[in-house]
Amino acid sequence: MISFFRSAPFLLRFGLFSLVLLALLIIGNGLFYGFIPPIDLSDRLQAPSWHHLFGTDALGRDLWHETFMAAGCSSLVVFPAVALGFTVGVPIGLIAAIKKGWVGEMLMQASDILFAFPALIAALLLQLLCGAGGQNVMLAIALYAIPVFARVACSHGRVIARLDFISAARLSGKGSLALAFHHLLPNIMLPLLTQASSQCAFAFIAEAALSYIGIGIQPPLPSLGRLLLDAQNLLNVAPWLAFWPGVMLFWLIASCQMIGEGLIRSQADHRL
């Protein structure tokens, strides 16, 4: 029984089901209640009840609605940011893997320069240049993800590039781009998707941290980091203000990690 819950199919399906369920709840809450939680000062700091399942915050906003909308806002930052990092980083790594000499080295050196700037530092620099906001957090996370995907694509691509079928394709007259995208990419997609799921988990933590210090998603849009910040001084009075956003952040991270773990186990099973 334990081995079933740790198997690749279960982890993948449960992780995907968890994310799909969360997406449906976010969309349903947004369509039914609106995407910005309304303020009702007469209902402030209400404990969880049938009327307010997660309770209310200091401004009387329903925490159920606010938490799911915050998860939606975080997702709209994280998933496009990781997708952008994947789209830019993977071609860089593939070309560096298939090209020998100064071209490949130059591409990887450029990736190393980007890798020297963590997401938090990049977000702080973008805030100074462009101001705070979700779009700048998205760009900062993407800038951090680009060299990560480039390194994974390059390291796995160089292993595949040494195989005989790549030499045969090169002798048949195929160019570097055709070799990279038609032969290397399909054979390294599994580790790339594994890295993408782990990168999403990291990005949710980074986005919450940046919102917590005030340079992430800005009001009136809700964010999990800001919900945790607002709950900080009310923990003794209303502990539910920190509990439910923390559970939501755990939900997002655990779902991504389960998908990543499932892909890793699938990769191991494939090798066997």
Side-chain angles (χ1 to χ4, degrees):
M1 181 63 72
I2 295 177
S3 60
F4 170 76
F5 289 111
R6 297 177 62 183
S7 64
F10 174 80
L11 291 170
L12 280 171
R13 291 169 185 170
F14 190 83
L16 289 171
F17 170 78
S18 180
L19 286 180
V20 170
L21 176 62
L22 180 58
L24 292 175
L25 288 171
I26 291 170
I27 294 171
N29 275 273
L31 294 176
F32 191 77
Y33 295 108
F35 290 93
I36 298 178
I39 295 174
D40 184 3
L41 294 177
S42 64
D43 219 9
R44 59 193 302 270
L45 295 180
Q46 296 293 315
S49 63
W50 287 113
H51 186 56
H52 298 290
L53 293 179
F54 287 3
T56 62
D57 66 3
L59 296 177
R61 292 173 294 196
D62 183 79
L63 195 59
W64 165 282
H65 182 208
E66 197 170 12
T67 301
F68 279 103
M69 290 303 98
C73 290
S74 296
S75 300
L76 289 176
V77 169
V78 166
F79 291 124
V82 174
L84 179 59
F86 187 99
T87 303
V88 177
V90 170
I92 292 174
L94 289 174
I95 294 172
I98 207 70
K99 283 281 191 181
K100 297 180 180 179
W102 65 273
V103 175
E105 292 300 322
M106 182 183 67
L107 289 172
M108 294 315 297
Q109 288 296 329
S111 297
D112 289 340
I113 293 173
L114 279 178
F115 197 69
F117 291 92
L120 180 59
I121 303 300
L124 291 172
L125 291 174
L126 287 171
Q127 183 202 23
L128 292 175
L129 295 174
C130 308
Q135 68 277 7
N136 293 331
V137 174
M138 184 190 303
L139 183 57
I141 293 173
L143 288 174
Y144 179 81
I146 287 171
V148 174
F149 285 114
R151 280 189 166 277
V152 173
C154 183
S155 61
H156 287 275
R158 283 176 175 173
V159 174
I160 303 298
R162 299 190 188 103
L163 299 180
D164 292 339
F165 79 95
I166 296 295
S167 300
R170 196 189 298 272
L171 290 174
S172 68
K174 290 191 175 181
S176 297
L177 290 178
L179 289 173
F181 291 99
H182 294 166
H183 296 282
L184 290 189
L185 183 58
N187 287 284
I188 65 171
M189 186 57 73
L190 193 57
L192 287 173
L193 292 176
T194 303
Q195 183 61 48
S197 62
S198 298
Q199 203 65 30
C200 286
F202 162 79
F204 277 114
I205 298 173
E207 188 280 322
L210 293 169
S211 295
Y212 183 85
I213 63 176
I215 62 175
I217 299 171
Q218 298 298 301
L221 295 175
S223 65
L224 294 174
R226 185 168 292 277
L227 289 178
L228 293 171
L229 175 63
D230 294 340
Q232 183 173 303
N233 296 325
L234 297 169
L235 289 177
N236 294 330
V237 180
W240 59 85
L241 294 179
F243 177 77
W244 293 114
V247 169
M248 182 60 68
L249 186 59
F250 172 80
W251 185 348
L252 289 165
I253 295 169
S255 298
C256 295
Q257 291 288 53
M258 288 184 74
I259 293 172
E261 183 65 22
L263 290 170
I264 291 173
R265 291 180 183 273
S266 296
Q267 190 174 5
D269 294 342
H270 180 71
R271 288 175 180 174
L272 293 175

